[in-house]
Amino acid sequence: MQRVTFIFSFLLIISCTTSEKNPIESIDFTTTFEKSNGTETPTYPEVIEYYNHLASVYPEIDIRKIGMTDSGNPLHIITLNPDHEFDFEKIRRVKPILLINNGIHPGESDGIDATMLLFRDIVQGKIEAPKNTVLVTIPVYNIGGALYRNSGTRTNQNGPKEYGFRGNARNYDLNRDFIKNDTKNARAFAEVFHLVQPDIFIDNHVSNGADYQYTLTHLFTQHNKLGSELGDYLHTKMHPQLETLLEAKKWDITPYVNVWGTTPDKGWTQFMDSPRYSTGYTTLWNTLGMMVETHMLKPYKQRVEGTYELMRSMIEITEKDGSTIRSLREKAFAEQSKRKTYPIQWEVDTSQVTRFNFKGYEGAFIDSKITGAKRLKYDQGKPYSKEIKYQNYFTSTTDISIPEAYIIPQGWWHVIEVLKLNKIEFNTLEKDTTIAVEMYHIADYNTRKMPYEGHYLHYTTSVKKNNTEISFKKGDVIIPTDQKGFRYLMETLEPEAPDSFFNWNFFDTILQQKEGFSPYVWEDKAAALLQNDDELRIRFEEQKKDTAFANNWYTQLDWIYKQTNHYEKAHMRYPVYRVLR
């Protein structure tokens, strides 16, 4: 009996020992990219399976589902922390966080492969693990686009063999959806972002546009728009460090080449990332944002390897400067409450330029054999290096006063829901209350004639202002501006801001007049009004000095109508009210 027990125990020990080793021995962590010698990228299910295997073997890795996407699949985040701590509240107390977003355009899959390699190489000890930085990645953000796998839609791109599609499951470009939140993807991203609260954000892309010698280009958020010492750090410290680190690794990098239909040899202007874009959105919370844009014509293997080295370099910067970055972010948040005005519109500052040597290819306009018109042709046999002007300074053109708070009537619940999603703090009125506010009326705006990402976007919006008292109802919301989401509030609730909720059509119902008049009825009433109101009659006669007005009978009747209490108050009245300081 003792012998049987001994044999059983021995077998049990062998079994346990074998099962403990089995995961590492049985799982091949060689990626599809490596197996194909840098010509292929994995499918979406393969990516998730890969990270699940990493998490099952290496305790430094955590994988979790957060939110849902339009595809019907949940979003995932993968966290790499050598300390095995995955509670973000605890992480933030001791370490800066770098968030990497991949596959927002799944045809641009470089970051998907590079991040898989990066996380594996860190946990397997092939490269040094970060001691002071926690890495988080969204492995594939646009899952619907990744599932629409093909080999034709990236016409200009040199590999991989198959890839995903730019539009998501509902054909939205997700890199235009960070403010309007039309998609479940964007709503899930907001949940991830406010859970993680990263100090640095990287969004991996592949560029279109001109031809040049570089594999890597960077698109940092615009430093003047970011502002404060944080913007200065981004411009004078982080940007140069990244270029220096990559140069030491024999990887040239240049600012994103923002030219279309022409050659870059005369220079270009920095791309302004408004809040509709990922880095424009993340920097509203003083997160340092950067897009990686590899060059579409370079071989896929080269692009992935370049993205890998760029991310390693950003980790090095975070390791060295993490405490400085955190301190500058905290200072930027603290200074927000002291501001009196906020810039909402920008233009290039032509008085300042950055000059650097750009490595391009000679380009010329030659006759097209297809159309007979002139077409652009680059000659890769004629490389050059020449000094160009890079316009990367911007100045504000419109500054607005910062209110103490905004008030939104509860009927605009769809706006309030987006504010909740973005962790905006607000209170609800406990009883009906009359409050002195500044009120806007929409004075003018233009609208795109073609649909843009599910909307007919407004632009060049202007407002008229007046101070008044408004009676608000119990349950209406009052939103203080003194909070972390201050910049988000200013960019979304001020109608003149390019990516305001107004410009994204959240308030279009105010633009349509709901009540009107029948001219044959109103004519008699209008005549009586003019006869009994001298002041109105004088203003009317003054208006008639305008020839166009005098020659349009309906415009005249409409003008009189809009001077009376018959005209509805809601028409063109912006239903977000400002409580002044």
Side-chain angles (χ1 to χ4, degrees), residues 335-389:
E335 289 175 346
Q336 288 178 171
S337 62
K338 302 174 185 176
R339 299 177 68 165
K340 303 299 182 185
T341 62
Y342 183 83
I344 57 169
Q345 293 179 3
W346 299 81
E347 68 179 11
V348 175
D349 182 353
T350 56
S351 68
Q352 301 186 75
V353 296
T354 298
R355 298 174 185 270
F356 66 89
N357 284 324
F358 175 73
K359 298 177 181 179
Y361 296 119
E362 294 290 345
F365 286 88
I366 63 175
D367 292 332
S368 167
K369 294 179 181 179
I370 299 173
T371 67
K374 293 294 183 182
R375 47 94 25 130
L376 177 59
K377 177 71 174 178
Y378 287 96
D379 188 344
Q380 294 185 357
K382 294 182 179 179
Y384 67 77
S385 177
K386 64 175 66 172
E387 184 181 82
I388 61 99
K389 295 179 181 179

Short mmCIF file of all heavy atoms in Angstrom, two decimals, residues 335-389:
data_model
loop_
_atom_site.label_atom_id
_atom_site.label_comp_id
_atom_site.label_asym_id
_atom_site.label_seq_id
_atom_site.Cartn_x
_atom_site.Cartn_y
_atom_site.Cartn_z
N GLU A 335 -2.90 75.25 -13.11
CA GLU A 335 -2.93 76.59 -13.68
C GLU A 335 -4.22 76.88 -14.44
O GLU A 335 -4.54 78.05 -14.72
CB GLU A 335 -1.73 76.79 -14.61
CG GLU A 335 -0.40 76.90 -13.86
CD GLU A 335 0.78 76.98 -14.80
OE1 GLU A 335 0.60 76.69 -16.01
OE2 GLU A 335 1.88 77.33 -14.34
N GLN A 336 -4.95 75.82 -14.81
CA GLN A 336 -6.17 76.03 -15.58
C GLN A 336 -7.16 76.95 -14.87
O GLN A 336 -7.80 77.79 -15.49
CB GLN A 336 -6.85 74.67 -15.85
CG GLN A 336 -6.11 73.83 -16.86
CD GLN A 336 -6.74 72.48 -17.11
OE1 GLN A 336 -6.35 71.76 -18.02
NE2 GLN A 336 -7.72 72.12 -16.30
N SER A 337 -7.27 76.79 -13.57
CA SER A 337 -8.26 77.56 -12.81
C SER A 337 -7.91 79.04 -12.73
O SER A 337 -8.76 79.86 -12.40
CB SER A 337 -8.39 76.98 -11.40
OG SER A 337 -7.15 77.08 -10.70
N LYS A 338 -6.66 79.40 -13.05
CA LYS A 338 -6.23 80.79 -12.97
C LYS A 338 -6.42 81.54 -14.28
O LYS A 338 -6.27 82.76 -14.33
CB LYS A 338 -4.75 80.85 -12.57
CG LYS A 338 -4.44 80.15 -11.24
CD LYS A 338 -2.93 80.11 -10.99
CE LYS A 338 -2.61 79.32 -9.74
NZ LYS A 338 -1.14 79.20 -9.53
N ARG A 339 -6.76 80.83 -15.33
CA ARG A 339 -6.86 81.46 -16.63
C ARG A 339 -8.12 82.31 -16.74
O ARG A 339 -9.17 81.97 -16.18
CB ARG A 339 -6.85 80.41 -17.74
CG ARG A 339 -5.59 79.58 -17.76
CD ARG A 339 -5.63 78.50 -18.83
NE ARG A 339 -5.61 79.06 -20.17
CZ ARG A 339 -5.34 78.35 -21.26
NH1 ARG A 339 -5.08 77.06 -21.17
NH2 ARG A 339 -5.34 78.92 -22.45
N LYS A 340 -8.02 83.40 -17.48
CA LYS A 340 -9.17 84.28 -17.71
C LYS A 340 -9.75 84.08 -19.11
O LYS A 340 -10.96 84.27 -19.32
CB LYS A 340 -8.75 85.75 -17.54
CG LYS A 340 -8.14 86.07 -16.18
CD LYS A 340 -9.11 85.80 -15.04
CE LYS A 340 -8.48 86.19 -13.70
NZ LYS A 340 -9.36 85.82 -12.56
N THR A 341 -8.89 83.72 -20.06
CA THR A 341 -9.34 83.51 -21.44
C THR A 341 -8.79 82.19 -21.96
O THR A 341 -7.84 81.63 -21.41
CB THR A 341 -8.88 84.65 -22.37
OG1 THR A 341 -7.44 84.68 -22.39
CG2 THR A 341 -9.42 85.99 -21.90
N TYR A 342 -9.41 81.73 -23.06
CA TYR A 342 -8.99 80.47 -23.67
C TYR A 342 -9.00 80.62 -25.19
O TYR A 342 -9.99 81.11 -25.76
CB TYR A 342 -9.95 79.34 -23.26
CG TYR A 342 -9.55 77.98 -23.79
CD1 TYR A 342 -8.59 77.21 -23.13
CD2 TYR A 342 -10.12 77.48 -24.95
CE1 TYR A 342 -8.22 75.97 -23.61
CE2 TYR A 342 -9.75 76.23 -25.45
CZ TYR A 342 -8.79 75.48 -24.77
OH TYR A 342 -8.42 74.25 -25.26
N PRO A 343 -7.92 80.22 -25.88
CA PRO A 343 -7.87 80.34 -27.34
C PRO A 343 -8.61 79.18 -28.01
O PRO A 343 -8.35 78.02 -27.72
CB PRO A 343 -6.37 80.28 -27.64
CG PRO A 343 -5.79 79.46 -26.52
CD PRO A 343 -6.65 79.72 -25.31
N ILE A 344 -9.52 79.50 -28.93
CA ILE A 344 -10.28 78.43 -29.58
C ILE A 344 -10.04 78.35 -31.08
O ILE A 344 -10.46 77.37 -31.71
CB ILE A 344 -11.80 78.58 -29.32
CG1 ILE A 344 -12.30 79.94 -29.78
CG2 ILE A 344 -12.13 78.32 -27.87
CD1 ILE A 344 -13.82 80.04 -29.78
N GLN A 345 -9.39 79.36 -31.66
CA GLN A 345 -9.07 79.30 -33.09
C GLN A 345 -7.63 79.75 -33.29
O GLN A 345 -7.15 80.65 -32.59
CB GLN A 345 -10.04 80.18 -33.89
CG GLN A 345 -11.47 79.67 -33.89
CD GLN A 345 -12.42 80.56 -34.67
OE1 GLN A 345 -12.02 81.55 -35.27
NE2 GLN A 345 -13.69 80.21 -34.65
N TRP A 346 -6.97 79.12 -34.28
CA TRP A 346 -5.54 79.31 -34.47
C TRP A 346 -5.21 79.53 -35.94
O TRP A 346 -5.95 79.11 -36.82
CB TRP A 346 -4.78 78.08 -33.97
CG TRP A 346 -4.97 77.80 -32.51
CD1 TRP A 346 -6.04 77.16 -31.92
CD2 TRP A 346 -4.10 78.16 -31.46
NE1 TRP A 346 -5.85 77.10 -30.56
CE2 TRP A 346 -4.67 77.70 -30.24
CE3 TRP A 346 -2.86 78.81 -31.41
CZ2 TRP A 346 -4.06 77.87 -29.01
CZ3 TRP A 346 -2.25 78.98 -30.17
CH2 TRP A 346 -2.85 78.52 -28.99
N GLU A 347 -4.07 80.16 -36.18
CA GLU A 347 -3.52 80.27 -37.52
C GLU A 347 -2.00 80.17 -37.44
O GLU A 347 -1.40 80.36 -36.37
CB GLU A 347 -3.94 81.58 -38.19
CG GLU A 347 -3.34 82.81 -37.56
CD GLU A 347 -3.77 84.09 -38.27
OE1 GLU A 347 -4.68 84.02 -39.11
OE2 GLU A 347 -3.19 85.16 -37.96
N VAL A 348 -1.38 79.88 -38.57
CA VAL A 348 0.08 79.75 -38.61
C VAL A 348 0.73 81.10 -38.30
O VAL A 348 0.30 82.14 -38.80
CB VAL A 348 0.53 79.27 -40.00
CG1 VAL A 348 2.05 79.25 -40.10
CG2 VAL A 348 -0.03 77.89 -40.29
N ASP A 349 1.73 81.07 -37.44
CA ASP A 349 2.52 82.26 -37.15
C ASP A 349 3.65 82.34 -38.18
O ASP A 349 4.67 81.65 -38.06
CB ASP A 349 3.10 82.16 -35.73
CG ASP A 349 3.89 83.39 -35.33
OD1 ASP A 349 4.11 84.28 -36.19
OD2 ASP A 349 4.30 83.47 -34.16
N THR A 350 3.46 83.14 -39.22
CA THR A 350 4.42 83.21 -40.32
C THR A 350 5.72 83.91 -39.94
O THR A 350 6.69 83.87 -40.71
CB THR A 350 3.79 83.93 -41.53
OG1 THR A 350 3.34 85.23 -41.12
CG2 THR A 350 2.62 83.12 -42.07
N SER A 351 5.76 84.53 -38.77
CA SER A 351 6.97 85.24 -38.35
C SER A 351 8.02 84.28 -37.78
O SER A 351 9.16 84.67 -37.56
CB SER A 351 6.63 86.31 -37.31
OG SER A 351 6.22 85.71 -36.08
N GLN A 352 7.63 83.03 -37.53
CA GLN A 352 8.56 82.05 -36.95
C GLN A 352 8.55 80.77 -37.79
O GLN A 352 7.48 80.27 -38.13
CB GLN A 352 8.18 81.70 -35.52
CG GLN A 352 8.14 82.87 -34.55
CD GLN A 352 7.90 82.41 -33.14
OE1 GLN A 352 8.79 81.89 -32.47
NE2 GLN A 352 6.68 82.60 -32.66
N VAL A 353 9.72 80.27 -38.10
CA VAL A 353 9.83 78.99 -38.81
C VAL A 353 10.97 78.19 -38.20
O VAL A 353 11.88 78.73 -37.55
CB VAL A 353 10.10 79.17 -40.32
CG1 VAL A 353 8.95 79.87 -41.01
CG2 VAL A 353 11.42 79.90 -40.56
N THR A 354 10.90 76.88 -38.39
CA THR A 354 11.99 75.99 -38.03
C THR A 354 12.64 75.53 -39.33
O THR A 354 11.95 75.14 -40.27
CB THR A 354 11.48 74.78 -37.24
OG1 THR A 354 10.89 75.25 -36.02
CG2 THR A 354 12.60 73.81 -36.92
N ARG A 355 13.96 75.57 -39.38
CA ARG A 355 14.69 75.15 -40.58
C ARG A 355 15.46 73.87 -40.26
O ARG A 355 16.09 73.76 -39.21
CB ARG A 355 15.66 76.24 -41.05
CG ARG A 355 14.97 77.54 -41.45
CD ARG A 355 15.99 78.62 -41.76
NE ARG A 355 15.37 79.91 -42.03
CZ ARG A 355 14.98 80.32 -43.23
NH1 ARG A 355 15.18 79.53 -44.28
NH2 ARG A 355 14.41 81.49 -43.39
N PHE A 356 15.39 72.91 -41.17
CA PHE A 356 16.20 71.70 -41.01
C PHE A 356 16.45 71.08 -42.38
O PHE A 356 15.76 71.39 -43.36
CB PHE A 356 15.51 70.71 -40.07
CG PHE A 356 14.22 70.14 -40.58
CD1 PHE A 356 14.20 68.97 -41.34
CD2 PHE A 356 13.00 70.76 -40.30
CE1 PHE A 356 13.00 68.44 -41.81
CE2 PHE A 356 11.80 70.24 -40.76
CZ PHE A 356 11.81 69.08 -41.53
N ASN A 357 17.42 70.19 -42.43
CA ASN A 357 17.74 69.51 -43.68
C ASN A 357 16.78 68.35 -43.89
O ASN A 357 16.68 67.45 -43.04
CB ASN A 357 19.18 69.00 -43.67
CG ASN A 357 20.19 70.12 -43.88
OD1 ASN A 357 19.93 71.06 -44.63
ND2 ASN A 357 21.32 70.04 -43.20
N PHE A 358 16.09 68.38 -45.01
CA PHE A 358 15.11 67.36 -45.34
C PHE A 358 15.66 66.47 -46.44
O PHE A 358 16.22 66.95 -47.44
CB PHE A 358 13.81 68.03 -45.81
CG PHE A 358 12.76 67.07 -46.28
CD1 PHE A 358 12.07 66.28 -45.37
CD2 PHE A 358 12.48 66.94 -47.63
CE1 PHE A 358 11.11 65.38 -45.80
CE2 PHE A 358 11.51 66.05 -48.07
CZ PHE A 358 10.83 65.26 -47.15
N LYS A 359 15.48 65.17 -46.27
CA LYS A 359 15.98 64.19 -47.24
C LYS A 359 14.82 63.73 -48.12
O LYS A 359 13.98 62.94 -47.69
CB LYS A 359 16.60 62.99 -46.52
CG LYS A 359 17.80 63.38 -45.66
CD LYS A 359 18.35 62.18 -44.89
CE LYS A 359 19.53 62.58 -44.02
NZ LYS A 359 20.06 61.42 -43.26
N GLY A 360 14.78 64.26 -49.32
CA GLY A 360 13.68 63.95 -50.21
C GLY A 360 14.14 63.35 -51.52
O GLY A 360 15.30 62.94 -51.67
N TYR A 361 13.22 63.26 -52.45
CA TYR A 361 13.50 62.85 -53.83
C TYR A 361 13.04 63.97 -54.76
O TYR A 361 12.01 64.61 -54.50
CB TYR A 361 12.76 61.56 -54.19
CG TYR A 361 13.17 60.35 -53.39
CD1 TYR A 361 12.25 59.67 -52.60
CD2 TYR A 361 14.48 59.86 -53.44
CE1 TYR A 361 12.62 58.55 -51.87
CE2 TYR A 361 14.86 58.74 -52.71
CZ TYR A 361 13.92 58.10 -51.92
OH TYR A 361 14.28 56.99 -51.20
N GLU A 362 13.80 64.17 -55.83
CA GLU A 362 13.39 65.17 -56.81
C GLU A 362 12.03 64.79 -57.40
O GLU A 362 11.77 63.63 -57.71
CB GLU A 362 14.42 65.26 -57.94
CG GLU A 362 15.78 65.80 -57.52
CD GLU A 362 15.76 67.27 -57.16
OE1 GLU A 362 14.76 67.95 -57.51
OE2 GLU A 362 16.74 67.75 -56.54
N GLY A 363 11.17 65.78 -57.51
CA GLY A 363 9.86 65.56 -58.09
C GLY A 363 9.61 66.54 -59.21
O GLY A 363 10.13 67.66 -59.19
N ALA A 364 8.83 66.11 -60.19
CA ALA A 364 8.52 67.00 -61.32
C ALA A 364 7.12 66.68 -61.82
O ALA A 364 6.59 65.59 -61.58
CB ALA A 364 9.54 66.80 -62.44
N PHE A 365 6.54 67.64 -62.49
CA PHE A 365 5.22 67.44 -63.10
C PHE A 365 5.43 67.13 -64.58
O PHE A 365 5.96 67.96 -65.34
CB PHE A 365 4.34 68.67 -62.90
CG PHE A 365 3.84 68.81 -61.49
CD1 PHE A 365 4.59 69.48 -60.54
CD2 PHE A 365 2.65 68.22 -61.11
CE1 PHE A 365 4.15 69.59 -59.23
CE2 PHE A 365 2.19 68.31 -59.79
CZ PHE A 365 2.95 69.00 -58.86
N ILE A 366 5.05 65.94 -64.96
CA ILE A 366 5.23 65.48 -66.34
C ILE A 366 3.87 65.18 -66.96
O ILE A 366 2.85 65.16 -66.26
CB ILE A 366 6.13 64.22 -66.39
CG1 ILE A 366 5.45 63.06 -65.64
CG2 ILE A 366 7.50 64.52 -65.80
CD1 ILE A 366 6.20 61.75 -65.74
N ASP A 367 3.85 64.95 -68.27
CA ASP A 367 2.58 64.65 -68.95
C ASP A 367 2.10 63.25 -68.58
O ASP A 367 2.87 62.29 -68.61
CB ASP A 367 2.76 64.75 -70.46
CG ASP A 367 3.02 66.17 -70.92
OD1 ASP A 367 2.56 67.10 -70.25
OD2 ASP A 367 3.71 66.34 -71.95
N SER A 368 0.83 63.16 -68.25
CA SER A 368 0.22 61.86 -67.94
C SER A 368 -0.09 61.12 -69.24
O SER A 368 -0.66 61.70 -70.17
CB SER A 368 -1.07 62.05 -67.14
OG SER A 368 -1.81 60.84 -67.10
N LYS A 369 0.27 59.84 -69.30
CA LYS A 369 -0.05 59.02 -70.47
C LYS A 369 -1.53 58.64 -70.50
O LYS A 369 -2.04 58.21 -71.52
CB LYS A 369 0.81 57.76 -70.46
CG LYS A 369 2.30 58.03 -70.64
CD LYS A 369 3.10 56.73 -70.58
CE LYS A 369 4.59 57.01 -70.74
NZ LYS A 369 5.40 55.76 -70.67
N ILE A 370 -2.20 58.78 -69.36
CA ILE A 370 -3.62 58.42 -69.28
C ILE A 370 -4.51 59.61 -69.59
O ILE A 370 -5.38 59.55 -70.45
CB ILE A 370 -3.95 57.86 -67.88
CG1 ILE A 370 -3.14 56.60 -67.59
CG2 ILE A 370 -5.45 57.56 -67.76
CD1 ILE A 370 -3.29 56.09 -66.18
N THR A 371 -4.28 60.71 -68.89
CA THR A 371 -5.20 61.85 -68.99
C THR A 371 -4.69 62.96 -69.90
O THR A 371 -5.47 63.81 -70.35
CB THR A 371 -5.43 62.46 -67.59
OG1 THR A 371 -4.20 63.05 -67.13
CG2 THR A 371 -5.91 61.41 -66.61
N GLY A 372 -3.39 62.97 -70.15
CA GLY A 372 -2.83 64.07 -70.93
C GLY A 372 -2.53 65.30 -70.09
O GLY A 372 -1.87 66.22 -70.55
N ALA A 373 -3.01 65.30 -68.85
CA ALA A 373 -2.74 66.43 -67.95
C ALA A 373 -1.37 66.23 -67.28
O ALA A 373 -0.70 65.21 -67.46
CB ALA A 373 -3.84 66.51 -66.89
N LYS A 374 -0.96 67.22 -66.49
CA LYS A 374 0.29 67.11 -65.76
C LYS A 374 0.09 66.22 -64.53
O LYS A 374 -0.92 66.32 -63.85
CB LYS A 374 0.79 68.49 -65.33
CG LYS A 374 1.19 69.40 -66.49
CD LYS A 374 2.42 68.86 -67.21
CE LYS A 374 2.88 69.81 -68.31
NZ LYS A 374 4.05 69.26 -69.05
N ARG A 375 1.04 65.35 -64.26
CA ARG A 375 0.99 64.51 -63.07
C ARG A 375 2.34 64.57 -62.36
O ARG A 375 3.39 64.83 -62.96
CB ARG A 375 0.64 63.06 -63.42
CG ARG A 375 1.37 62.40 -64.56
CD ARG A 375 2.61 61.56 -64.29
NE ARG A 375 2.80 60.96 -63.05
CZ ARG A 375 3.11 59.68 -62.89
NH1 ARG A 375 3.21 58.87 -63.94
NH2 ARG A 375 3.37 59.20 -61.71
N LEU A 376 2.27 64.36 -61.04
CA LEU A 376 3.47 64.43 -60.21
C LEU A 376 4.23 63.11 -60.28
O LEU A 376 3.64 62.03 -60.15
CB LEU A 376 3.07 64.74 -58.77
CG LEU A 376 4.19 64.80 -57.73
CD1 LEU A 376 5.24 65.85 -58.10
CD2 LEU A 376 3.61 65.09 -56.34
N LYS A 377 5.53 63.18 -60.48
CA LYS A 377 6.38 62.00 -60.55
C LYS A 377 7.64 62.24 -59.73
O LYS A 377 8.36 63.22 -59.94
CB LYS A 377 6.76 61.70 -62.00
CG LYS A 377 7.71 60.53 -62.19
CD LYS A 377 7.03 59.20 -61.92
CE LYS A 377 7.96 58.03 -62.26
NZ LYS A 377 7.32 56.72 -61.95
N TYR A 378 7.90 61.35 -58.74
CA TYR A 378 9.13 61.42 -57.96
C TYR A 378 10.17 60.49 -58.58
O TYR A 378 9.84 59.42 -59.09
CB TYR A 378 8.88 61.00 -56.52
CG TYR A 378 8.12 62.03 -55.70
CD1 TYR A 378 6.75 61.93 -55.54
CD2 TYR A 378 8.78 63.09 -55.10
CE1 TYR A 378 6.04 62.86 -54.80
CE2 TYR A 378 8.09 64.03 -54.36
CZ TYR A 378 6.72 63.91 -54.20
OH TYR A 378 6.03 64.84 -53.47
N ASP A 379 11.42 60.89 -58.51
CA ASP A 379 12.52 60.09 -59.04
C ASP A 379 13.40 59.64 -57.88
O ASP A 379 14.20 60.42 -57.35
CB ASP A 379 13.34 60.93 -60.04
CG ASP A 379 14.39 60.10 -60.77
OD1 ASP A 379 14.70 58.98 -60.31
OD2 ASP A 379 14.90 60.57 -61.81
N GLN A 380 13.23 58.39 -57.46
CA GLN A 380 14.00 57.88 -56.33
C GLN A 380 15.48 57.74 -56.66
O GLN A 380 16.30 57.51 -55.77
CB GLN A 380 13.41 56.55 -55.85
CG GLN A 380 12.01 56.70 -55.27
CD GLN A 380 11.47 55.40 -54.69
OE1 GLN A 380 12.11 54.36 -54.75
NE2 GLN A 380 10.27 55.47 -54.13
N GLY A 381 15.82 57.85 -57.93
CA GLY A 381 17.23 57.86 -58.33
C GLY A 381 17.89 59.21 -58.15
O GLY A 381 19.09 59.36 -58.40
N LYS A 382 17.10 60.19 -57.72
CA LYS A 382 17.63 61.54 -57.50
C LYS A 382 17.30 62.02 -56.07
O LYS A 382 16.48 62.90 -55.86
CB LYS A 382 17.04 62.51 -58.52
CG LYS A 382 17.46 62.22 -59.96
CD LYS A 382 16.86 63.26 -60.91
CE LYS A 382 17.29 63.00 -62.35
NZ LYS A 382 16.69 64.00 -63.28
N PRO A 383 17.97 61.41 -55.08
CA PRO A 383 17.75 61.87 -53.71
C PRO A 383 18.44 63.21 -53.48
O PRO A 383 19.40 63.56 -54.16
CB PRO A 383 18.40 60.76 -52.88
CG PRO A 383 19.47 60.22 -53.76
CD PRO A 383 18.93 60.31 -55.17
N TYR A 384 17.94 63.96 -52.51
CA TYR A 384 18.58 65.22 -52.15
C TYR A 384 18.45 65.43 -50.65
O TYR A 384 17.63 64.84 -49.97
CB TYR A 384 17.95 66.40 -52.90
CG TYR A 384 16.51 66.71 -52.51
CD1 TYR A 384 16.20 67.39 -51.33
CD2 TYR A 384 15.45 66.33 -53.33
CE1 TYR A 384 14.89 67.68 -50.97
CE2 TYR A 384 14.14 66.61 -52.99
CZ TYR A 384 13.86 67.28 -51.81
OH TYR A 384 12.57 67.55 -51.45
N SER A 385 19.29 66.32 -50.16
CA SER A 385 19.17 66.81 -48.78
C SER A 385 19.29 68.32 -48.86
O SER A 385 20.32 68.84 -49.30
CB SER A 385 20.29 66.23 -47.90
OG SER A 385 20.20 66.76 -46.59
N LYS A 386 18.24 69.02 -48.49
CA LYS A 386 18.26 70.47 -48.57
C LYS A 386 17.51 71.08 -47.40
O LYS A 386 16.61 70.46 -46.81
CB LYS A 386 17.67 70.96 -49.89
CG LYS A 386 16.21 70.66 -50.10
CD LYS A 386 15.67 71.28 -51.39
CE LYS A 386 16.29 70.68 -52.62
NZ LYS A 386 15.63 71.17 -53.87
N GLU A 387 17.88 72.30 -47.07
CA GLU A 387 17.22 72.99 -45.96
C GLU A 387 15.82 73.43 -46.38
O GLU A 387 15.64 74.00 -47.45
CB GLU A 387 18.04 74.21 -45.53
CG GLU A 387 17.46 74.91 -44.31
CD GLU A 387 18.26 76.14 -43.90
OE1 GLU A 387 18.04 77.21 -44.51
OE2 GLU A 387 19.10 76.02 -42.99
N ILE A 388 14.85 73.14 -45.53
CA ILE A 388 13.48 73.56 -45.82
C ILE A 388 12.94 74.36 -44.62
O ILE A 388 13.49 74.31 -43.52
CB ILE A 388 12.55 72.36 -46.13
CG1 ILE A 388 12.47 71.39 -44.94
CG2 ILE A 388 13.02 71.64 -47.38
CD1 ILE A 388 11.27 71.53 -44.10
N LYS A 389 11.84 75.05 -44.87
CA LYS A 389 11.17 75.82 -43.82
C LYS A 389 9.97 75.02 -43.33
O LYS A 389 9.11 74.62 -44.13
CB LYS A 389 10.69 77.17 -44.36
CG LYS A 389 11.79 78.11 -44.78
CD LYS A 389 11.21 79.41 -45.32
CE LYS A 389 12.30 80.37 -45.77
NZ LYS A 389 11.72 81.64 -46.30
#
